[in-house]
């Protein structure tokens, strides 16, 4: 029996509890947390196992360039910034990006939102100092409150229930938008938002939207019944988040009545972050046993040995589409550190979708105090990623970005440049800086160009 099979025999939704779990809060009242776990276990799943299986099948096509994965959304969702308009704007910019990618490459874009469950955040320090006051760090709305005071920062398990209900309401709206007409390709022009439309990338998008409309007109003239083509009127839109807060993930993990397999029904795709991907740690243990598609973030400290071991542990049966590796090396390091990983995985024969997260390796503290990223660094890492994939003869399978549909000023640069002095104008993120809708569209045009080459 292989080691992986031995691990699998020992797996249960709570087997992670026997291993060291990094980045977990210290609940002041363990009984209260257990009660919340019991409450969540009785609530309906947010997604179905069958949906997760369909996503795995779609991802398998990204292994060899027959599809491209786009993961996008907030760094952290928030209880406060929760509105129908916010969800609509985010979805709209993701749809625009997806049209740019699909039209530019001729292959389907697999659309995955960091949404409906992306609340919990890993932190580089367990506490935050302001002046001479030291308090627990903010770990995301599932755990404590952003406000810097002692009571607000105390972990409160009741927040898990609120996160569940907000996720359910968000997912409900996302499903309605995806299937109920908003995502109809006939609206490709209408998606160009006010503040985007006038920008260079908005105008570039308008040209493309015009071409799509003409193509549809042409098909109609040829006698094709476009109304009957469901694929023109609806999209598949999947959800994902970092599986960081394991009590929550455990409580949403259910056995599929059709196959008898375990699925984490809190989202379609779950990923393990750069700070929690230890091979013997609790997070990898938990994700090894659920049958959803799984992602792993890889920073510059990842070695070829680590990465191949993670593949063996998380996908021992080598199922195509099961595993996505998100490279987040930073623009300066990607050319040096990524190619050995790509080659090692290719030689191991593990089927892996390689995707680029060009955000998390390029964050820095601006002199004004804001955490930011330069749009140029984001593009530079993307180019480095595509070059590394080409040199290792591996398909560039996707991108993973933090964005919002709103006109924020959190990342520097872009064609209508966000300058240093603009940062404070609309800096609204609770965690990492996000691309605004213009920058997101600009990025999509750049990725489409890289894919075409
Ligand atoms: C994130 O995706 O928000 C994140 C924290 O990423 P990473 O684990 O790659 O740092
Ligand atoms: Co982030």
């Amino acid at each position: 029996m292989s080691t992986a099979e031995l691990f699998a025999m020992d797996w249960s939704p709570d087997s992670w509890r026997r291993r060291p779990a990094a980045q977990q809060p210290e609940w002041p009242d363990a009984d209260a947390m257990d009660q919340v776990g019991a409450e969540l276990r009785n609530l309906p799943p947010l997604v179905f196992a069958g949906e997760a299986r369909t996503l795995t099948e779609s991802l398998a096509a990204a292994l060899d360039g027959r599809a491209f994965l786009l993961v996008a959304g907030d760094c952290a969702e928030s209880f406060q910034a929760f509105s129908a308009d916010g969800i609509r704007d985010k979805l709209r910019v993701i749809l625009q990006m997806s049209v740019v990618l699909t039209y530019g490459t001729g292959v389907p874009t697999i659309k995955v939102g960091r949404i409906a469950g992306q609340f919990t955040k890993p932190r580089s320090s367990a506490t935050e100092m302001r002046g001479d006051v030291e308090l627990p760090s903010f770990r995301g709305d599932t755990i404590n409150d952003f406000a810097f005071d002692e009571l607000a920062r105390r972990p409160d398990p009741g927040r898990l229930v609120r996160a569940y209900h907000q996720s359910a309401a968000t997912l409900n709206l996302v499903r309605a938008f995806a299937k109920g007409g908003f995502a109809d390709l006939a609206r490709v022009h209408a998606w160009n938002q006010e503040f985007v439309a006038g920008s260079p990338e908005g105008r570039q998008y308008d040209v493309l939207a015009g071409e799509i409309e003409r193509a549809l007109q042409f098909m109609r003239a040829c006698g094709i019944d476009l109304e009957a083509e469901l694929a023109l009127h609806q999209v598949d839109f999947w959800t994902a988040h970092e599986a960081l807060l394991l009590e929550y993930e455990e409580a949403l993990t259910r056995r599929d009545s059709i196959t008898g397999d375990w699925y984490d029904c809190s989202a379609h795709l779950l990923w393990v972050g750069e700070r929690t991907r230890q091979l013997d740690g609790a997070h990898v243990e938990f994700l090894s046993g659920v049958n959803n598609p799984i992602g792993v973030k890889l920073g510059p400290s990842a070695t070829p040995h680590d990465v191949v071991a993670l593949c063996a542990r998380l996908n021992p049966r080598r199922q195509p589409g099961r595993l996505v590796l998100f490279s987040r090396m930073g623009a300066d390091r990607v050319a040096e550190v990524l190619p050995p990983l790509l080659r090692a995985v290719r030689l191991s024969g593990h089927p892996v979708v390689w995707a680029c997260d060009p955000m998390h390796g390029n964050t820095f503290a601006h002199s004004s105090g804001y955490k930011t990223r330069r749009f140029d660094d984001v593009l530079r890492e993307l180019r480095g990623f595509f070059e590394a994939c080409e040199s290792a003869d591996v398909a560039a399978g996707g991108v993973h970005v933090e964005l919002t549909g709103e006109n924020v000023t959190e990342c520097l640069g872009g064609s209508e440049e966000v300058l240093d002095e603009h940062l404070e104008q609309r800096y609204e993120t609770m965690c990492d800086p996000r691309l605004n809708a213009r920058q997101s569209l600009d990025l999509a045009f750049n990725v489409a160009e890289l894919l075409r080459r």
Side-chain angles (χ1 to χ4, degrees):
M1 198 179 278
S2 73
T3 333
E5 282 166 322
L6 280 172
F7 275 129
M9 275 178 61
D10 213 24
W11 190 92
S12 60
D14 66 353
S15 57
W16 63 269
R17 292 175 185 265
R18 297 194 292 271
R19 294 174 183 266
Q23 297 281 344
Q24 303 303 291
E26 284 178 29
W27 301 109
D29 178 353
D31 288 345
M33 183 57 243
D34 289 346
Q35 275 167 28
V36 161
E39 183 178 348
L40 288 171
R41 264 190 291 281
N42 284 323
L43 289 169
L46 294 175
V47 306
F48 282 126
E51 295 179 304
R53 278 194 290 278
T54 305
L55 176 56
T56 302
E57 282 162 23
S58 306
L59 285 168
L63 287 167
D64 55 6
R66 286 174 297 121
F68 191 75
L69 169 66
L70 170 64
V71 184
D74 273 311
C75 182
E77 291 175 274
S78 99
F79 289 169
Q80 217 190 345
F82 173 43
S83 73
D85 287 0
I87 296 166
R88 181 202 57 209
D89 290 349
K90 215 173 305 170
L91 202 71
R92 184 161 56 187
V93 70
I94 296 173
L95 289 172
Q96 283 187 282
M97 291 175 79
S98 138
V99 160
V100 169
L101 289 168
T102 303
Y103 195 76
T105 62
V107 301
T109 305
I110 304 165
K111 296 168 274 299
V112 179
R114 290 174 63 113
I115 201 167
Q118 173 52 27
F119 289 101
T120 317
K121 297 313 298 174
R123 304 316 307 235
S124 40
S125 165
T127 59
E128 180 181 348
M129 276 300 263
R130 287 197 201 169
D132 50 11
V133 184
E134 186 175 16
L135 291 176
S137 293
F138 171 61
R139 289 186 179 274
D141 271 349
T142 27
I143 294 175
N144 55 4
D145 196 278
F146 192 60
F148 192 75
D149 78 58
E150 203 175 328
L151 198 64
R153 288 292 169 93
R154 185 176 300 168
D156 168 11
R159 289 174 160 267
L160 272 71
V161 180
R162 183 160 172 199
Y164 166 89
H165 288 293
Q166 182 166 322
S167 300
T170 303
L171 187 55
N172 179 56
L173 194 61
V174 165
R175 289 185 192 277
F177 281 143
K179 303 289 179 190
F182 182 77
D184 196 309
L185 205 53
R187 289 178 42 85
V188 68
H189 262 303
W191 296 335
N192 223 7
Q193 308 164 59
E194 256 327 289
F195 83 93
V196 174
S199 67
E201 48 282 352
R203 289 192 290 274
Q204 194 179 356
Y205 174 84
D206 245 352
V207 172
L208 183 150
E211 287 173 20
I212 292 175
E213 281 185 343
R214 267 197 305 284
L216 291 173
Q217 189 62 34
F218 173 75
M219 286 193 277
R220 198 175 289 117
C222 293
I224 297 170
D225 181 2
L226 299 186
E227 289 313 306
E229 292 296 335
L230 216 55
L232 296 176
H233 310 296
Q234 301 188 345
V235 297
D236 285 331
F237 192 92
W238 312 102
T239 61
H241 61 256
E242 178 171 351
L244 183 60
L245 182 53
L246 292 174
E247 276 112 343
Y248 182 79
E249 304 305 335
E250 177 193 328
L252 269 293
T253 295
R254 311 290 160 86
R255 211 188 260 284
D256 172 31
S257 58
I258 299 173
T259 60
D261 291 333
W262 291 101
Y263 283 83
D264 182 346
C265 297
S266 71
H268 299 109
L269 182 149
L270 288 312
W271 78 83
V272 57
E274 163 69 1
R275 293 164 191 79
T276 47
R277 60 173 166 77
Q278 301 79 14
L279 197 59
D280 295 322
H283 294 82
V284 168
E285 166 66 13
F286 175 76
L287 287 179
S288 73
V290 295
N291 282 271
N292 309 57
I294 299 298
V296 181
K297 295 285 206 87
L298 298 173
S301 69
T303 66
H305 179 268
D306 293 340
V307 177
V308 173
L310 279 166
C311 294
R313 181 88 165 82
L314 290 170
N315 191 15
R317 286 180 290 138
R318 303 189 175 213
Q319 186 190 5
R322 152 80 172 166
L323 188 59
V324 183
L325 297 180
F326 296 105
S327 160
R328 34 86 83 221
M329 303 301 177
D332 294 334
R333 304 288 308 276
V334 60
E336 160 213 350
V337 288
L338 183 58
L341 306 185
L342 297 171
R343 280 194 290 271
V345 173
R346 184 164 56 81
L347 286 174
S348 75
H350 277 284
V352 160
V353 175
W354 280 100
C356 177
D357 165 358
M359 313 296 290
H360 288 89
N362 297 307
T363 320
F364 68 97
H366 188 260
S367 55
S368 59
Y370 289 107
K371 220 179 356 164
T372 189
R373 292 157 173 159
R374 282 185 229 288
F375 188 66
D376 282 351
D377 290 341
V378 169
L379 291 187
R380 211 151 50 83
E381 175 153 6
L382 276 168
R383 281 193 290 272
F385 172 80
F386 274 80
E387 279 161 20
C389 287
E390 199 183 333
S391 75
D393 198 17
V394 166
V399 292
H400 182 140
V401 291
E402 289 180 341
L403 58 72
T404 166
E406 282 135 70
N407 192 11
V408 300
T409 53
E410 299 172 5
C411 292
L412 295 166
S415 70
E416 296 202 347
E417 239 184 309
V418 175
L419 301 170
D420 295 45
E421 61 268 29
H422 296 150
L423 278 182
E424 62 176 21
Q425 290 177 356
R426 285 181 305 278
Y427 193 96
E428 293 165 13
T429 183
M430 284 211 313
C431 197
D432 290 338
R434 303 159 298 176
L435 301 174
N436 62 30
R438 282 177 191 160
Q439 291 167 329
S440 302
L441 208 50
D442 199 347
L443 179 131
F445 279 113
N446 276 278
V447 172
E449 184 57 40
L450 286 165
L451 277 164
R452 265 199 300 270
R453 271 190 218 154

